[in-house]
Amino acid sequence: MTQHRPVIAGNWKMHHGPAATRAFLEDFTPEPGASAPRILLFPPMVSLAAATSFDARDRRIEFGVQNTHEAEEGAFTGEISARMAAEVGAELALVGHSERRHVFGESDERVAAKTRAALAAGLIPVVCVGETLEERQRGELETVLLRQLDAVLPELRSATDALVAYEPVWAIGTGETATPADAAQAHALIRRHMAAVLGPERAEQVPILYGGSVRPSNARELLSADDVDGLLIGGASLDPRSFAEIVELAS
Ligand code: PGA
């Protein structure tokens, strides 16, 4: 079990426009216990302003952007910068999500550049790492995680707040969940490597989230695994009741 305040994060991907976002927030009424988790939500960019203005009074949730371009501005049709996301209320930025890496071809270098840009704009990066099924079957779990971390950890050296998410690609949106033992093994590798690169004290401060087919039915056992400090949830974060249930389980 984590020594950190647990973190429950929802990644909506390409779901919920502004109206659906307001409806979600109206219905999202978790009743967390004494140790309320930190709640993060990553709506689509067009819904960010609706989300941050809806929540402005209560400030229950920290909102983030799912993707930004690494440049500050320029001729990049269709893209947005980290600074623009911050201007509409984003406080965090997901970087290196497996869909960005595998569907949109983002390299480790690009993920590092986006992390740098997020930090420069004052956003807290949530860096995602994880192996594909083929890589896992070839016994490359450690090689892949360390390669992805090596690209990005130097950027986190001076960051005051940053998170890492372990998301095995084979478990994302597939209904296949890593066992708590699988998660604990990968999280221990990540923690050990962060300690080697950033120093043990700094490595302890960075929460490591697990993501991949998390549901209310498996959230508790995943959260109880060693070194699992929180959860990054896709599908089950779209419904306010199931997301609230996971928040309550984490308190
Ligand atoms: P999932 O997605 O919970 O739908 O598997 C997780 C993610 O991609 O962050």
Side-chain angles (χ1 to χ4, degrees):
M1 191 57 164
T2 178
Q3 297 163 14
H4 297 260
R5 178 178 172 208
V7 181
I8 300 300
N11 170 18
W12 283 355
K13 310 190 180 186
M14 202 169 72
H15 298 279
H16 290 347
T21 296
R22 279 188 290 270
F24 175 100
L25 292 172
E26 237 157 68
D27 292 343
F28 178 64
T29 49
E31 291 176 15
S35 56
R38 188 174 170 188
I39 306 172
L40 318 180
L41 208 45
F42 296 85
M45 182 62 198
V46 290
S47 303
L48 252 177
T52 55
S53 56
F54 187 98
D55 195 58
R57 218 187 37 216
D58 301 339
R59 313 263 311 150
R60 301 174 296 170
I61 303 170
E62 296 167 67
F63 292 99
V65 63
Q66 296 174 13
N67 176 47
T68 55
H69 193 277
E70 62 272 33
E72 274 185 35
E73 58 182 8
F76 301 107
T77 301
E79 295 289 310
I80 55 134
S81 71
R83 201 182 301 267
M84 291 171 187
E87 199 178 327
V88 290
E91 294 175 273
L92 302 106
L94 273 188
V95 276
H97 187 275
S98 74
E99 285 146 24
R100 299 302 316 174
R101 291 178 189 268
H102 298 291
V103 183
F104 298 98
E106 287 183 12
S107 63
D108 292 333
E109 293 68 34
R110 193 105 201 262
V111 173
K114 289 184 176 210
T115 304
R116 204 176 315 130
L119 285 165
L123 300 178
I124 300 166
V126 180
V127 178
C128 305
V129 296
E131 81 289 3
T132 63
L133 183 60
E134 297 70 38
E135 289 165 339
R136 188 175 188 84
Q137 285 169 341
R138 287 199 301 263
E140 294 172 4
L141 170 70
E142 180 163 358
T143 321
V144 171
L145 294 184
L146 268 47
R147 192 201 70 226
Q148 293 177 342
L149 287 169
D150 277 335
V152 84
L153 287 180
E155 309 297 338
L156 302 187
R157 245 187 215 120
S158 54
T160 50
D161 196 359
L163 298 91
V164 170
Y166 168 60
E167 296 209 306
V169 180
W170 48 271
I172 295 179
T174 58
E176 289 283 330
T177 319
T179 63
D182 290 333
Q185 182 202 9
H187 284 224
L189 276 172
I190 293 169
R191 183 85 68 201
R192 210 177 318 129
H193 199 58
M194 286 201 299
V197 178
L198 302 175
E201 202 178 311
R202 185 81 189 86
E204 271 309 312
Q205 293 161 351
V206 177
I208 309 175
L209 317 185
Y210 168 79
S213 297
V214 176
R215 305 272 175 270
S217 55
N218 59 20
R220 197 194 297 274
E221 61 166 3
L222 286 161
L223 277 171
S224 68
D226 279 347
D227 272 316
V228 173
D229 304 313
L231 303 168
L232 178 55
I233 303 147
S237 72
L238 293 173
D239 174 62
R241 275 159 295 271
S242 73
F243 193 53
E245 210 178 312
I246 298 174
V247 166
E248 286 163 10
L249 284 169
S251 355

